[in-house]
Amino acid sequence: MTDLARATSLLTIDVDAVVANWRRIATLIAPAEAAAVVKADCYGLGVVQIAPALFAAGCRSFFVANLDEGIQLRKIVPGGVIYVLSGPVGGGEQDFAAHGLIPVLNSLAQITGWSAFAKAGSAAPASAIHLDTGMTRLGLEEVEVERLAAKPDVLASVRPILAMSHLACADDDTAPKNNEQLATFRRLSSQLPAMPLSLSASGGIFLGRAFRFDMARPGAALYGLNPIPGRPNPMAQVVRLQGKILQVRDVDSPMTVGYGATHRVAQRGKIATVAVGYADGWLRSLSNRGHGVIGGFKVPLVGRVSMDLTTFDVADVPAPLVHPGALIDLISPELTVDEVASEAGTIGYEILTALGRRHHRRWLTGTREGKPA
């Protein structure tokens, strides 16, 4: 029996679509550089398969969240320029140097530590400096930028090759905060030596040329999420999630469905039980509000999503399409990640990164099908 035949769900990741999305952004923002954010295993879709394809397409700069991700990525794309967004934590400078990773320095303490490490004669790589322009998470506040600017020897020792910040409201092109952060970024970066600048991730790219500077850092847009909510998605879809029907039941009033009996059957119909649940990333918040698609027919999710199973009302679907072993689309071009996220009361980022490891995964590249890692 093949892996696919015994699988209860199938997650298909179109690597070519990821590459096409990166190329579209690279063309749009040229001559600025298009990096790629590949943290969290490429948002849960497989850094081992995706990062080399991006590198082969011409992407040279990559961003990850932490040191372990950076070490893993160095093995996958040995020629890439790899930025680690968390910077050194707990004295990890030597590990950065050993793997040729560029720390994003988020505080004066990290800058001091990296400077001391470099001055000690270590082969310290260059660094990036994170400026807080209004997100109020990581990065140097204005008074800290002024203090750093007054120490040219420290600045020289950390060898910054990028100054960056992050927009808080980039998915809303009407938000006044975007222009406020743009002005703050210009003011703070002007106090530092001239170096490449980066302000925008996926959403910021589409706010206009003024926000793109020398480098943009697309992440979500690469994986098919809409960077301009409320307007047609300019990015190619990347993910398809399908679950297998395990059983089809005839139901009628006054039967109930699922834990808590939260769905009461009103009339004669059919319920299909599908082998995907919250352990697979199909969020419990979709209970009694999500949908699936079978053969072009949209079917409502009824009852609660449980750990391994979800139930759908398939009364309106032609009987030949609904049987044990048939597949129901949970994410597809007809039911996008963003639409699923809206039904779940969350964002597409969470949907992608929550997709569990029990799905049979296949990565599509041209006519070749990638095998699960």
Side-chain angles (χ1 to χ4, degrees):
M1 189 177 190
T2 66
D3 290 344
L4 180 56
R6 66 169 176 257
T8 52
S9 60
L10 173 62
L11 179 62
T12 303
I13 299 126
D14 189 339
V15 178
D16 285 342
V18 178
V19 171
N21 287 336
W22 178 82
R23 285 180 169 145
R24 184 187 189 287
I25 289 172
T27 299
L28 176 67
I29 69 173
E33 179 185 3
V37 179
V38 297
K39 63 182 180 177
D41 194 31
C42 284
Y43 289 41
L45 301 183
V47 69
V48 171
Q49 292 76 21
I50 294 173
L54 288 169
F55 188 83
C59 182
R60 291 295 177 265
S61 296
F62 299 84
F63 285 80
V64 297
N66 57 43
L67 178 59
D68 285 341
E69 288 184 348
I71 292 172
Q72 179 195 22
L73 186 61
R74 175 56 70 212
K75 299 173 184 176
I76 300 169
V77 284
V81 180
I82 301 173
Y83 296 84
V84 179
L85 291 165
S86 65
V89 178
E93 290 88 356
Q94 183 58 54
D95 290 318
F96 277 82
H99 296 279
L101 305 174
I102 297 175
V104 177
L105 303 175
N106 297 293
S107 66
L108 290 180
Q110 285 190 338
I111 290 171
T112 300
W114 193 253
S115 174
F117 178 68
K119 289 179 177 180
S122 305
S127 68
I129 295 178
H130 189 174
L131 308 175
D132 180 15
T133 57
M135 180 72 87
T136 318
R137 298 190 311 184
L138 299 176
L140 303 182
E141 299 177 5
E142 185 155 10
V143 64
E144 294 174 313
V145 175
E146 293 171 355
R147 289 169 58 187
L148 178 60
K151 298 179 178 179
D153 61 317
V154 173
L155 264 171
S157 67
V158 300
R159 294 196 300 126
I161 60 171
L162 184 72
M164 59 171 283
S165 191
H166 197 57
L167 294 166
C169 303
D171 57 352
D172 179 4
D173 60 7
T174 68
K177 195 171 184 70
N178 292 322
N179 284 322
E180 292 171 8
Q181 286 192 260
L182 176 61
T184 301
F185 185 58
R186 285 173 170 159
R187 185 176 67 253
L188 297 186
S189 61
S190 70
Q191 299 180 49
L192 301 175
M195 68 183 84
L197 303 177
S198 177
L199 176 61
S200 293
S202 292
I205 290 167
F206 293 87
L207 292 176
R209 185 171 299 278
F211 288 83
R212 295 169 189 166
F213 290 94
D214 302 293
M215 175 193 285
R217 313 180 308 273
L222 299 182
Y223 311 115
L225 300 186
N226 190 352
I228 46 174
R231 288 179 280 169
N233 189 354
M235 314 315 297
Q237 293 299 305
V238 170
V239 170
R240 185 178 189 183
L241 175 63
Q242 299 166 287
K244 276 186 182 175
I245 295 175
L246 298 182
Q247 190 177 71
V248 181
R249 298 282 299 273
D250 292 315
V251 296
D252 202 350
S253 178
M255 298 170 70
T256 63
V257 179
Y259 282 117
T262 59
H263 175 76
R264 293 188 173 275
V265 178
Q267 60 189 16
R268 182 172 296 179
K270 290 183 181 294
I271 298 294
T273 300
V274 175
V276 172
Y278 57 74
D280 306 293
W282 196 243
L283 302 184
R284 194 170 184 268
S285 59
L286 288 163
S287 299
N288 289 301
R289 60 191 297 187
H291 290 84
V293 176
I294 303 176
F297 293 86
K298 196 171 184 179
V299 293
L301 191 163
V302 295
R304 287 182 181 166
V305 176
S306 61
M307 183 179 291
D308 312 303
L309 302 171
T310 301
T311 43
F312 293 87
D313 181 345
V314 295
D316 295 331
V317 181
L321 299 178
V322 183
H323 56 83
L327 293 172
I328 177 172
D329 279 314
L330 304 177
I331 299 173
S332 72
E334 299 170 289
L335 187 58
T336 68
V337 176
D338 292 302
E339 290 171 320
V340 172
S342 178
E343 291 182 336
T346 184
I347 57 176
Y349 299 70
E350 184 179 14
I351 299 295
L352 288 184
T353 57
L355 294 174
R357 305 308 304 181
R358 297 195 298 187
H359 304 300
H360 176 84
R361 291 177 175 236
R362 61 180 183 180
W363 290 266
L364 302 182
T365 306
T367 59
R368 179 173 54 83
E369 179 178 319
K371 301 301 180 183

